[in-house]
Amino acid sequence: MAKHETPLLDQLESGPWPSFVSDLKQQAEVRAKNEAGVEFQIPQDAVEDLLGVLELSYKHGRTHWKHGGIVGVFGYGGGVIGRYCDQPKLFPGVEHFHTMRVAQPCGKYYTTEYLRTLTKIWDMRGSGITNMHGATGDIILLGTTTPQIEEIFYELTHNMNQDLGGSGSNLRTPADCLGSSRCEYACYDSNALCHFLTNNYQDELHRPAFPYKFKFKFDACPNCCVASIARSDMSFIGTWRDAIKIDQDAVNKYVENDAAYPPNAGAHKGKDWGPFDIEKEVLGLCPTKCMKFENKTLKIDDANCTRCMHCINTMPRALKIGDDRGCSILVGAKAPIVDGAQMGSLLVPFVEVNSDNDYEAITAVIENVWDWWMEEGKNRERLGELIMRQGFQKLLEVTGIDAQPQHVAYPRTNPYIFWKEEEVAGGWTRDVVEYRKHHLR
Ligand code: SF4
């Protein structure tokens, strides 16, 4: 019989959706029976008590977790998030219930042996509850006690060659998509770049020295499967510079509704969307209206294509990404903290990602940005907020990147170009005034 009554939580099990409450109840039962004969190092009824404290929080309409607290492993400042319950007498099993972040491998490739070893450690030294994966990308191990933290860290590092992830005001565990390991749209090897930067910035990952958190995310194409444009302070999004490759025969197969050419690669199978209409579903939805289909021939004005991927996703057998590939670097995205949520702004329109020199060029951009943010950023100010406060032009100055047309979202509405006095006093602004005088009457 359950240790705590949970009528409010039970409601979350109704409906057709999977429920974390059912998962927790199942885990509580497994621990109670302990058929595997695990020698638990934290209370056996920790998951029962977790359900109990959550029910109490729902009843009171407020959390019963105290604010974080400092816990960690020797030599690191991040990787463990302290959690203490403010009702330890009622729920002794979760008196301490710390979260550990474990760095996920690039592309999240695991062997079953790895997963078994990890869960074995966690069943014994933690609650057995995992979150695969947290919003940052790491493996999240939920719930252990202070004395177990060093033990778990030792087992991870010595027996599994596995590191902790980031937490606090440091570089958070970099996260990437599968990239060229499995995806035909990959414009660069996101796994390789993620791995390189993770190794290169170990100090920044483990020892918090930044004004606030900083996230790298790597999307190998503009489909943005890890949503780097919305979720990372610096996002690396694959793109190409040359033309989209068109197979005109395949385009016509889509237009003729050939069964072997289902639009969207058959992703909408089972729903009747009617016959495929290239005008409505491709040309009409191109954001820059840069496509034409005439005389059975598809034409794309590539200079005006923004590489949004819509047409390629819709007709994947007919259209392919170009061959001159690399990535764009965007900065400043964040979830709503101060001033609401923000998407990344384009900083580097295109950089190749093939050689050591390319990697060096990328680290130069990163380190210039960090130098400025660490110097000027206020405590708990994300990069995006500093850009808002001091201006994008300042960011261009500190990174030594020249303003380019791609930095302008819409002509004549550029919010971050301000003229300096010396530029206004003479130079080309004077020429503009002269030009207007003579030509724009
Ligand atoms: Fe238009 Fe997007 Fe296709 Fe470019 S990728 S042609 S912008 S739909």
Side-chain angles (χ1 to χ4, degrees):
M1 197 183 117
K3 189 174 162 191
H4 305 286
E5 294 293 314
T6 55
L8 297 174
L9 283 183
D10 295 347
Q11 289 179 27
L12 297 180
E13 292 184 283
S14 57
W17 308 280
S19 164
F20 75 95
V21 175
S22 307
D23 289 349
L24 288 178
K25 285 182 179 172
Q26 195 183 344
Q27 175 66 3
E29 258 175 51
V30 169
R31 283 178 79 88
K33 284 190 200 147
N34 188 19
E35 280 160 359
V38 177
E39 290 170 35
F40 296 117
Q41 301 293 310
I42 80 162
Q44 193 164 346
D45 58 357
V47 184
E48 287 275 8
D49 279 355
L50 178 66
L51 286 161
V53 75
L54 192 54
E55 176 74 19
L56 194 67
S57 295
Y58 280 18
K59 198 168 150 198
H60 292 167
R62 66 185 166 85
T63 181
H64 282 289
W65 297 111
K66 291 196 273 189
H67 187 262
I70 305 291
V71 271
V73 296
F74 189 66
Y76 280 25
V80 185
I81 303 153
R83 292 274 181 269
Y84 296 93
C85 177
D86 69 0
Q87 301 290 325
K89 290 212 170 87
L90 277 178
F91 307 106
V94 291
E95 183 178 359
H96 334 174
F97 204 71
H98 310 313
T99 296
M100 296 190 79
R101 289 205 172 136
V102 178
Q104 81 286 9
C106 296
K108 301 192 176 78
Y109 286 106
Y110 300 104
T111 61
T112 45
E113 191 198 341
Y114 172 95
L115 292 172
R116 280 184 212 290
T117 314
L118 183 73
T119 46
K120 205 167 152 201
I121 296 171
W122 190 237
D123 275 339
M124 180 179 162
R125 301 197 176 276
S127 68
I129 305 168
T130 61
N131 174 5
M132 304 285 279
H133 298 81
T136 299
D138 327 63
I139 303 166
I140 307 286
L141 302 180
L142 283 156
T144 192
T145 56
T146 309
Q148 293 305 315
I149 290 170
E150 284 291 353
E151 306 286 342
I152 296 165
F153 182 61
Y154 182 92
E155 294 200 40
L156 289 177
T157 49
H158 288 70
N159 300 336
M160 295 185 68
N161 196 22
Q162 173 64 59
D163 206 351
L164 289 187
S167 70
S169 293
N170 61 10
L171 175 63
R172 299 298 180 82
T173 324
D176 59 351
C177 66
L178 294 164
S180 34
S181 68
R182 292 205 52 195
C183 179
E184 63 186 292
Y185 299 148
C187 300
Y188 72 99
D189 188 345
S190 53
N191 295 171
L193 183 60
C194 181
H195 186 65
F196 168 77
L197 293 178
T198 304
N199 287 337
N200 204 45
Y201 294 122
Q202 280 291 295
D203 207 24
E204 286 75 5
L205 228 162
H206 296 309
R207 293 169 195 97
F210 288 157
Y212 203 12
K213 64 179 98 165
F214 193 94
K215 299 181 182 179
F216 285 146
K217 291 197 193 298
F218 307 86
D219 279 305
C221 86
N223 273 331
C224 236
C225 291
V226 291
S228 66
I229 195 169
R231 300 170 58 224
S232 57
D233 299 85
M234 189 172 273
S235 64
F236 301 81
I237 304 178
T239 189
W240 64 94
R241 280 190 293 200
D242 54 347
I244 292 177
K245 291 185 276 185
I246 309 175
D247 174 344
Q248 298 291 355
D249 286 342
V251 171
N252 282 291
K253 297 270 192 215
Y254 280 104
V255 173
E256 290 154 13
N257 281 281
D258 186 314
Y261 289 73
N264 301 296
H268 300 152
K269 224 165 153 182
K271 290 189 184 162
D272 184 11
W273 296 93
F276 176 68
D277 179 347
I278 193 169
E279 287 289 341
K280 200 166 121 206
E281 293 174 47
V282 181
L283 279 56
L285 295 178
C286 169
T288 59
K289 304 284 177 286
C290 67
M291 311 177 87
K292 265 201 283 194
F293 184 65
E294 284 170 351
N295 303 325
K296 299 195 167 192
T297 306
L298 181 70
K299 287 193 183 138
I300 299 178
D301 172 9
D302 285 280
N304 278 310
C305 163
T306 57
R307 280 71 174 150
C308 78
M309 295 292 290
H310 173 70
C311 58
I312 300 176
N313 292 336
T314 312
M315 303 193 295
R317 293 185 69 178
L319 303 176
K320 304 269 179 234
I321 59 171
D323 289 327
D324 186 6
R325 300 171 189 172
C327 80
S328 302
I329 305 179
L330 290 87
V331 287
K334 64 180 183 69
I337 306 172
V338 185
D339 285 335
Q342 217 167 277
M343 300 282 263
S345 302
L346 182 70
L347 178 62
V348 178
F350 187 87
V351 59
E352 288 186 356
V353 197
N354 301 319
S355 64
D356 289 353
N357 285 348
D358 301 335
Y359 278 29
E360 247 175 59
I362 289 171
T363 52
V365 174
I366 294 169
E367 285 162 30
N368 282 333
V369 169
W370 279 351
D371 284 350
W372 174 56
W373 181 50
M374 288 171 79
E375 190 67 30
E376 299 286 336
K378 295 182 192 170
N379 189 29
R380 292 174 80 81
E381 183 175 48
R382 292 287 286 270
L383 175 64
E385 287 151 4
L386 176 63
I387 295 170
M388 293 275 275
R389 185 162 63 83
Q390 292 206 350
F392 196 87
Q393 191 187 18
K394 185 76 190 162
L395 177 67
L396 292 178
E397 268 174 44
V398 298
T399 49
I401 294 170
D402 291 334
Q404 296 170 53
Q406 290 96 332
H407 290 138
V408 182
Y410 304 99
R412 297 176 191 279
T413 58
N414 190 325
Y416 48 77
I417 299 296
F418 298 100
W419 305 115
K420 292 182 181 150
E421 210 173 318
E422 61 274 18
E423 287 169 332
V424 177
W428 73 265
T429 41
R430 185 190 52 212
D431 299 340
V432 170
V433 172
E434 286 298 308
Y435 175 85
R436 287 200 168 145
K437 232 194 275 174
H438 293 106
H439 299 279
L440 301 178
R441 288 178 193 175

